[in-house]
Amino acid sequence: MTVTREADVIIVGYGGAGAVAAITAHDSGAQVLILEKSAEAGGNTRLAVSSFTSVIPGASAKEHLGALCSRTLEDDVIDAYIEWASKNVDFVRELGGDPVPYFPGPTFPGITGAEAMLRFRPFHDALQGDGGRRLWRLLEENVEKRGIEVMTSTPVCRLIQGSRKEVVGVETNAGGSILRVLARRAVILTCGGFEFDETMKREYLRISQVFALGHPDNTGDGIRMAQEVGAAIWHMGAIACPLGYKFPEYESAFDSHMPGEGYIAVDRYGERFMNEYGGLYTKWLSVSHFIPERLEWPRVPCFFVFDDRTRLLGPISHVYGGNRGVYQWSADNSVEIGRGWILWGNSLAELGEKMYVPAKNKLEMAVARYNQFCSEGEDRDFARSRETLIPLETSPFYAIEVFPCLLNTQGGPKHNAKAQVVDPWGHPIPRLYAAGELGSIWGFMYQSGGNLGECLAFGRIAGMNAAQEKPRTRENS
Ligand SMILES: Cc1cc2nc3c(=O)[nH]c(=O)nc-3n(C[C@H](O)[C@H](O)[C@H](O)COP(=O)(O)OP(=O)(O)OC[C@H]3O[C@@H](n4cnc5c(N)ncnc54)[C@H](O)[C@@H]3O)c2cc1C
């Protein structure tokens, strides 16, 4: 049976961008309804670490953002981001937060204009691990305080388009029960990325086997729905992607967090291939090496190899958010060794056999060469900094398979400076908006804290403009 409801502004997806858009649309006078696919709201936002960006307005910020976003953004989109992101701290404070600076600010300090990038965490006591949750809780409390209606376990499956291409509502399908929700003013898509959609990942990400650290209901629904009504898409290949571990028993991946410097990364042939201390979010570029002649990705998975000294320093994955909070990694990694997640050998030769490294002595050679660099104080192969050069000497030795693991994707429907979704010719699709990581402004290079910063900035832009749309009437729709 089809039931019909109505609201001024419909928000599809209740994570950070959805919450911010809802708060702003409500405060601009609109009656708002949030529709959320999962039983529990919060999406990736609830799982995030801690930081959000702000910027110092001016030419430096513009130059820097333009470069990071691969010059794919129109000037007025960058201007809008700068204007609103520069007030992110005030906004979080108005909601009841107590933001404090978080260092370092810029992720790419060497790129012109980096000094304009600032990073904050939402509360002075929001340390790594609970920062995102604290931000999420703050947003959720503000939605609740305003009495904004939220329907969880209500996935939106399509947009309803009227005669002049305008989006007039959405259709949800919860277990075969169809609900049509009509929007008097506008629909805002804030339903996240495609981290858990294998087809889209294969199509758009130029790398084999990418897993994800976050929210499994982010399956690219908003991209498909927007495409169906004629939206252009952008930034589909852009990702924030550190390295991590994946085990079949768990849907999400585990982040990698080595407790000390005594480890190296080797490919499936036992050869070292990168500076293990390179940029966190761009490491996937180092592992995305492809050998066309053999149709082979020799670095996916790769291995982190370490010794007993490093093992005893602490867990090799963050304990706090271990797989969305459902797993507690053991303090000395012994449980994970017992589970077979971490391989071990009394010698490097024995370990190499368990890793199926084809030429057994390759691993021994890689470790010996690295240890030599440690004693010389210079990594002549990959310029790893001197203070990180700790040799691997104490048996047993260990190895764990490492994969690219998404924090989030950035691709989705393209939007303009007003957060209106546009078609391939740049014309707004009437009454349709998007914000957050669904069609993010971020391109090739990801500034840490940039996604939550964008949820705050474009969430407000979308909420305000959606609320200001003239209500539909028989005459105008
Ligand atoms: C472990 C981790 C740490 C991170 N740390 C940071 C950080 O410190 N700083 C930072 O800036 N970024 C960080 N990120 C990235 C950041 O969290 C996300 O990019 C951001 O939270 C996205 O917010 P959003 O509102 O766009 O999407 P989400 O918060 O993911 O919300 C999308 C919501 O839409 C819902 N949805 C999906 N499909 C539908 C549908 N068909 N109908 C209805 N609802 C639907 C989902 O269930 C979800 O609740 C991190 C990500 C992860 C995974």
Side-chain angles (χ1 to χ4, degrees):
M1 193 175 89
T2 304
V3 182
T4 304
R5 289 197 48 178
E6 207 167 8
D8 281 340
V9 173
I10 298 168
I11 306 226
V12 181
Y14 187 22
V20 171
I23 291 165
T24 311
H26 172 277
D27 292 358
S28 308
Q31 182 233 337
V32 178
L33 173 61
I34 305 177
L35 303 170
E36 164 58 41
K37 178 178 179 178
S38 300
E40 185 180 14
N44 270 346
T45 307
R46 188 171 50 84
L47 308 170
V49 178
S50 74
S51 68
F52 65 90
T53 43
S54 175
V55 290
I56 302 170
S60 296
K62 197 161 180 175
E63 172 58 30
H64 192 73
L65 284 161
L68 294 196
C69 298
S70 327
R71 313 272 169 217
T72 58
L73 299 182
E74 282 90 1
D75 267 7
D76 60 344
V77 175
I78 304 189
D79 290 340
Y81 175 76
I82 291 174
E83 184 191 337
W84 287 76
S86 70
K87 296 179 211 145
N88 277 350
V89 169
D90 295 337
F91 177 67
V92 172
R93 205 169 279 134
E94 278 161 29
L95 297 183
D98 178 21
V100 289
Y102 197 29
F103 300 102
T107 302
F108 300 98
I111 296 181
T112 310
E115 68 279 4
M117 303 309 293
L118 307 175
R119 220 159 42 113
F120 290 82
R121 56 180 200 247
F123 290 94
H124 68 282
D125 58 347
L127 297 173
Q128 283 225 331
D130 69 352
R133 267 159 276 188
R134 293 287 300 277
L135 179 62
W136 167 246
R137 192 61 207 127
L138 179 69
L139 297 174
E140 198 179 31
E141 276 166 12
N142 274 274
V143 168
E144 286 164 3
K145 204 163 76 186
R146 285 164 173 79
I148 297 170
E149 189 182 355
V150 179
M151 293 174 69
T152 52
S153 303
T154 307
V156 173
C157 54
R158 57 180 289 265
L159 298 168
I160 307 171
Q161 211 165 15
S163 53
R164 286 176 225 161
K165 291 199 171 168
E166 67 178 357
V167 171
V168 298
V170 303
E171 212 169 271
T172 71
N173 185 347
S177 177
I178 306 291
L179 176 68
R180 283 165 64 90
V181 188
L182 301 180
R184 283 185 288 267
R185 294 176 193 268
V187 172
I188 306 177
L189 293 174
T190 49
C191 45
F194 60 94
E195 299 92 46
F196 285 84
D197 186 87
E198 291 310 315
T199 309
M200 283 195 193
K201 284 195 290 186
R202 259 198 306 277
E203 181 68 39
Y204 296 113
L205 308 184
R206 204 190 59 79
I207 191 164
S208 82
Q209 284 189 293
V210 189
F211 296 107
L213 297 165
H215 179 63
D217 273 342
N218 285 4
T219 52
D221 303 1
I223 299 168
R224 294 190 173 89
M225 290 191 273
Q227 282 181 304
E228 195 179 14
V229 298
I233 53 172
W234 68 352
H235 301 157
M236 291 302 287
I239 52 181
C241 190
L243 302 180
Y245 323 123
K246 178 72 176 70
F247 314 109
E249 313 78 305
Y250 288 89
E251 196 172 12
S252 300
F254 291 74
D255 76 328
S256 152
H257 175 71
M258 295 307 286
E261 291 81 8
Y263 77 100
I264 57 171
V266 298
D267 67 12
R268 290 185 1 223
Y269 295 89
E271 287 182 27
R272 223 178 133 219
F273 61 89
M274 69 172 181
N275 176 346
E276 292 82 357
Y277 282 81
L280 181 64
Y281 304 117
T282 43
K283 277 209 179 113
W284 68 275
L285 290 168
S286 303
V287 302
S288 66
H289 174 60
F290 179 63
I291 304 173
E293 295 76 17
R294 300 207 295 261
L295 288 181
E296 189 192 328
W297 302 84
R299 302 174 186 171
V300 184
C302 58
F303 293 91
F304 283 174
V305 175
F306 51 102
D307 67 357
D308 208 43
R309 182 188 162 280
T310 300
R311 173 183 77 83
L312 291 170
L313 290 178
I316 64 166
S317 180
H318 272 116
V319 182
Y320 64 84
N323 210 282
R324 300 180 287 128
V326 300
Y327 183 83
Q328 182 80 15
W329 200 279
S330 64
D332 62 359
N333 303 292
S334 56
V335 173
E336 293 70 27
I337 293 168
R339 281 172 168 264
W341 292 357
I342 300 174
L343 306 174
W344 67 278
N346 283 317
S347 65
L348 287 164
E350 187 186 337
L351 180 65
E353 251 172 53
K354 291 188 182 167
M355 291 159 65
Y356 297 108
V357 172
K360 270 187 244 156
N361 61 348
K362 277 277 176 67
L363 182 62
E364 289 170 286
M365 282 162 57
V367 172
R369 187 170 170 82
Y370 167 76
N371 284 350
Q372 176 70 26
F373 294 158
C374 294
S375 63
E376 292 167 5
E378 186 189 0
D379 176 3
R380 280 184 277 114
D381 287 342
F382 301 105
R384 185 163 147 173
S385 63
R386 176 185 278 261
E387 68 279 8
T388 68
L389 293 174
I390 306 293
L392 313 187
E393 294 170 328
T394 318
S395 134
F397 296 98
Y398 303 93
I400 185 162
E401 276 189 338
V402 173
F403 296 88
C405 291
L406 295 162
L407 289 173
N408 57 283
T409 56
Q410 313 287 13
K414 181 173 180 178
H415 63 72
N416 62 17
K418 291 179 166 174
Q420 294 170 300
V421 173
V422 296
D423 71 14
W425 308 106
H427 306 305
I429 296 174
R431 298 183 191 275
L432 183 63
Y433 293 80
E437 67 171 60
L438 173 71
S440 163
I441 60 167
W442 295 103
F444 198 45
M445 286 160 72
Y446 176 63
Q447 158 69 41
S448 184
N451 279 108
L452 291 179
E454 183 177 7
C455 287
L456 295 171
F458 268 103
R460 265 138 70 219
I461 297 174
M464 186 189 70
N465 289 319
Q468 285 174 1
E469 290 271 6
K470 271 205 185 108
R472 282 187 304 110
T473 59
R474 267 208 181 88
E475 292 71 47
N476 73 10
S477 68

